[in-house]
Amino acid sequence: KQEVTQIPAALSVPEGENLVLNCSFTDSAIYNLQWFRQDPGKGLTSLLLIQSSQREQTSGRLNASLDKSSGRSTLYIAASQPGDSATYLCALLNDYKLSFGAGTTVTVRA
Amino acid sequence: DTGVSQDPRHKITKRGQNVTFRCDPISEHNRLYWYRQTLGQGPEFLTYFQNEAQLEKSRLLSDRFSAERPKGSFSTLEIQRTEQGDSAMYLCASSWQGSGELFFGEGSRLTVL
């Protein structure tokens, strides 16, 4: 059974600081890894998808890396803004099923 | 592409009542998933369909829960004899079999009084 851990559970930073969010997993036999953003009371918005054969993926200020050998992924958000305040979830796809971490709640202070 | 649509967005019901949620996936997606999310936790897998076939059900899905996807298009999730422990956000997602990328709807929040 895939176990996904996200540390820290919460993070508060001043505007402009770079964010580093960590995700670790126990089963490296994954199809892909997705990072999601969730605003309070809302659904999940897909941010980045990294296929199993890839090492990283970038979109604008976001960069995600994947190291299957160590069971880790990291999401970097450059030059954070108050609008980046949300919960960030990583999820791993084994066969057809996504397994989620509990998320990291980020607050960016203006 | 209108995205994944869920209805209703919020349902308040009394314990013992039945509720039904509907999910309309992205039109060309053949896989559809239901997840449940409680406060402070990540979503947990409930069940998934490939076309109209329900291929797996989590043990979280007791016999009070039933999901259908007639004709391989929209799906419904019904909860019978609701309990307070059923209070959660019910999320629907869809994907195309080959891509592995899931797209989620806005969720249906259930509150059982």
Side-chain angles (χ1 to χ4, degrees):
Chain A
K1 178 178 181 280
Q2 179 73 273
E3 302 287 342
V4 185
T5 304
Q6 292 187 248
I7 294 173
L11 188 59
S12 178
V13 299
E15 182 176 4
E17 191 164 300
N18 296 333
L19 288 164
V20 180
L21 308 180
N22 298 302
C23 172
S24 61
F25 50 93
T26 55
D27 183 356
S28 62
I30 61 172
Y31 188 78
N32 65 35
L33 183 148
Q34 270 184 274
W35 280 95
F36 293 91
R37 169 185 172 136
Q38 187 172 34
D39 293 297
K42 303 289 188 179
L44 279 66
T45 300
S46 181
L47 297 174
L48 289 169
L49 172 74
I50 309 178
Q51 298 291 353
S52 177
S53 59
Q54 296 177 313
R55 296 297 300 268
E56 67 175 337
Q57 194 65 249
T58 298
S59 175
R61 294 185 295 113
L62 276 58
N63 174 275
S65 64
L66 173 62
D67 184 344
K68 289 196 303 178
S69 63
S70 66
R72 294 178 186 275
S73 176
T74 303
L75 177 66
Y76 300 89
I77 303 177
S80 61
Q81 304 168 358
D84 294 329
S85 298
T87 297
Y88 293 83
L89 296 140
C90 73
L92 293 109
L93 189 69
N94 297 89
D95 296 324
Y96 52 84
K97 186 162 49 179
L98 272 181
S99 299
F100 283 85
T104 295
T105 298
V106 171
T107 302
V108 180
R109 307 185 304 271
Chain B
D1 181 356
T2 58
V4 178
S5 177
Q6 293 189 244
D7 184 70
R9 293 291 313 282
H10 196 172
K11 178 73 175 178
I12 301 173
T13 191
K14 293 183 179 178
R15 185 166 53 93
Q17 298 295 304
N18 298 344
V19 296
T20 299
F21 300 115
R22 176 180 170 124
C23 172
D24 288 273
I26 294 172
S27 57
E28 62 268 26
H29 286 180
N30 63 341
R31 287 186 171 177
L32 185 147
Y33 309 78
W34 286 99
Y35 282 78
R36 181 172 70 185
Q37 186 179 27
T38 53
L39 202 60
Q41 301 299 315
E44 296 175 293
F45 171 81
L46 293 179
T47 189
Y48 106 101
F49 294 83
Q50 182 157 307
N51 301 311
E52 65 274 12
Q54 186 174 19
L55 297 187
E56 181 162 336
K57 293 169 58 173
S58 163
R59 58 185 171 81
L60 294 175
L61 221 61
S62 75
D63 56 7
R64 296 185 297 106
F65 289 71
S66 62
E68 293 182 343
R69 192 184 183 197
K71 303 179 183 178
S73 56
F74 71 93
S75 175
T76 58
L77 177 68
E78 181 182 17
I79 309 173
Q80 296 182 325
R81 305 181 304 281
T82 52
E83 301 173 356
Q84 289 185 325
D86 297 331
S87 295
M89 175 79 89
Y90 290 85
L91 293 161
C92 177
S94 69
S95 73
W96 175 246
Q97 181 177 346
S99 80
E101 184 173 11
L102 273 68
F103 294 86
F104 282 79
E106 288 293 324
S108 292
R109 179 166 295 284
L110 174 65
T111 302
V112 182
L113 302 176

